[in-house]
Amino acid sequence: MAARWFLPLRTVPAQSRALRVLTLPHAGAPLRCYRWLEGCVGDDVELWTVALPGRGKRRAEEAHTSVHSIVEALADELPALAEEPYVLYGHSMGALLAFELARVARRRGLALPVALLLSGARSPESFLIPQDPPCSQWPQGKLVDHLRALGGVAPELLAYGELLELFLPAVRADYALCERYEPRAEPPLPVAMALMSGTEDRDVDDESLTAWGAHATGPVVMRKFLGDRFFINGHRRELPAFVTTLLQHCKAGQVKTWNADAGGPAPGMQPG
C-alpha cells in the first residue's frame, strides 16, 4: 500500500467535528512542526499534517522535484478530508503548497477550503528571490549558516554531522522544488485568505505579502508579528490568539467578518 500523505495530529469524533485544519510543511520541516496549533483549534477541530517523501518515515522514497506533482498527489487523498469544512494552513514553502492544492481542488471539482492561512511567504509570482547559484546547490557550510540565520531549525540539529547528513538532503530537495516552481495563470480563488509575516523578515516585505490578495476574491486580512521568518516559533500569545479568532470565524461560517474582527483588511485590499 502506498504511504499516506495526510496524517492526523489530532482527531475528533465525527459527531463533534466542526472543522479540519490541514497543514502543509515548510522546507525541511519535522512532521509535528504545527503542534503549537493544538492550543488554537478547540475541541471540535481536527488537525492534520503532511508527510512528504524523502524525509522521516518516508526517507527511503524519492523526494518530489515539483510543487505541482506534490499537490496532485495530495489532491488524490483530499476528497475524504474535504467532505466537511476545512482550512489549509502553510508556512513558507507550505504556503505555496496550500495555495496550489486549493487550485487543484478547484480544477477537480472538489470542495474548496473555507480559507487559506498563509505565513512567512512571498506571493507566487515572486516566491523566491533569485540566487546564483540557487540555495539548493550551496555548499554545506553556507547552507547551514543560512538556515541558522533563518531561525527555523533547532541549533542542535545544525551542530551535529550525523544529524545534518539526514536533514540536509530534505532541505535541498525542498529548496530545489521551490526554485523550479512556475505559477500558472488562473482566476483568483473564491476563498478567504489570512496573511502573516514577521516584522524582521527582510525577504517577505509588505508588497510581496499583500500581493497574495490578487489570488483571492474573498476577504483578505494581514497581520505582522514581531520576529523573523520563523516568528511562528516565538509567539505564545498573539499568534495563537489571532489564529484562534480566524478559526472561530471559519467554524461559524463568518469569514466575511474577518476584516472587522481579525485585524483589518490587508493594505490596498477591499473587503470581500
Side-chain angles (χ1 to χ4, degrees):
M1 180 181 295
R4 294 182 63 197
W5 288 71
F6 283 105
L7 299 176
L9 292 178
R10 182 174 183 273
T11 58
V12 175
Q15 64 271 21
S16 303
R17 189 166 54 235
L19 187 71
R20 285 189 172 108
V21 178
L22 312 182
T23 63
L24 290 300
H26 59 80
L31 195 60
R32 298 184 69 83
C33 64
Y34 291 105
R35 189 173 183 176
W36 62 271
L37 279 173
E38 293 180 7
C40 306
V41 296
D43 294 337
D44 55 354
V45 178
E46 278 192 348
L47 187 60
W48 291 71
T49 191
V50 165
L52 295 178
R55 69 218 66 203
K57 293 183 178 180
R58 301 185 68 181
R59 188 179 299 113
E61 300 176 50
E62 186 175 354
H64 280 234
T65 58
S66 165
V67 167
H68 297 296
S69 71
I70 288 176
V71 296
E72 290 288 348
L74 290 171
D76 289 342
E77 295 186 0
L78 188 59
L81 296 172
E83 291 176 346
E84 300 176 32
Y86 70 101
V87 168
L88 296 176
Y89 178 47
H91 181 76
S92 196
M93 181 185 79
L96 196 59
L97 295 175
F99 170 68
E100 288 294 348
L101 179 57
R103 284 178 144 194
V104 174
R106 177 173 61 183
R107 291 197 296 269
R108 295 192 184 190
L110 302 176
L112 293 180
V114 177
L116 296 178
L117 276 57
L118 311 175
S119 60
R122 297 171 62 87
S123 61
E125 52 277 357
S126 64
F127 184 74
L128 282 185
I129 298 174
Q131 304 286 339
D132 187 17
C135 295
S136 63
Q137 299 176 21
W138 282 356
Q140 179 170 308
K142 183 176 181 179
L143 183 57
V144 168
D145 289 343
H146 168 72
L147 294 172
R148 186 177 291 112
L150 283 180
V153 181
E156 58 270 21
L157 186 58
L158 299 176
Y160 295 100
E162 292 183 1
L163 293 177
L164 277 178
E165 289 180 6
L166 297 174
F167 173 66
L168 286 185
V171 172
R172 291 188 188 277
D174 288 345
Y175 274 36
L177 69 87
C178 291
E179 291 158 0
R180 296 186 184 100
Y181 171 74
E182 293 184 4
R184 300 168 179 172
E186 294 187 23
L189 290 162
V191 300
M193 191 177 284
L195 309 170
M196 297 162 274
S197 67
T199 55
E200 305 304 316
D201 188 343
R202 293 176 294 178
D203 291 340
V204 184
D205 55 16
D206 287 355
E207 181 179 359
S208 64
L209 187 68
T210 57
W212 278 104
H215 298 283
T217 59
V220 178
V221 295
M222 186 177 82
R223 177 71 66 85
K224 297 181 77 73
F225 297 88
L226 290 176
D228 52 21
R229 175 67 55 84
F230 284 91
F231 67 91
I232 60 173
N233 295 335
H235 283 269
R236 293 297 175 264
R237 288 187 180 180
E238 296 90 346
L239 178 59
F242 179 64
V243 172
T244 297
T245 298
L246 296 177
L247 295 180
Q248 287 173 344
H249 285 225
C250 290
K251 287 191 293 184
Q254 298 174 343
V255 293
K256 288 188 176 181
T257 64
W258 275 14
N259 291 330
D261 299 338
M269 297 294 127
Q270 297 301 316

